[in-house]
Amino acid sequence: EKPDLIISDVLMPHVTGYELVQQLEREAKGGRLIPVIIVTAHPRMKDFFKSWEVAAFFEKPLDTGKLLDTIQSIVHYSR
């Protein structure tokens, strides 16, 4: 079963957020892409995601209210 949404950091031990988004797009094969919210402490990383279908990009520290509003909007829209 596919999740409604994925929230991912950019820098992780075994895979980067960039690699995760690439893998999800390959697996979608023209089907429904799982929305991804990218979170990072490195704001310049946003440029790496411009060519990919990322639902939102947040910088740390997070504005939790804005994050929750974005999650609600994405999940509601994708249903």
Side-chain angles (χ1 to χ4, degrees), residues 3-70:
D4 292 325
L5 173 72
I6 295 172
I7 300 174
S8 176
D9 202 326
V10 173
L11 302 174
M12 299 177 287
H14 300 289
V15 66
T16 67
Y18 184 71
E19 292 167 333
L20 173 66
V21 170
Q22 287 180 316
Q23 181 65 30
L24 290 170
E25 288 192 0
R26 279 194 301 271
E27 289 177 7
K29 296 178 188 169
R32 182 177 86 84
L33 182 65
I34 299 167
V36 178
I37 294 176
I38 297 294
V39 178
T40 185
H42 307 281
R44 286 187 263 153
M45 297 296 288
K46 185 174 187 174
D47 292 339
F48 290 107
F49 291 91
K50 284 185 178 179
S51 63
W52 300 95
E53 291 188 42
V54 174
F57 189 94
F58 281 87
E59 295 175 26
K60 295 177 187 176
L62 290 172
D63 177 336
T64 55
K66 188 173 179 182
L67 176 63
L68 290 173
D69 288 345
T70 301

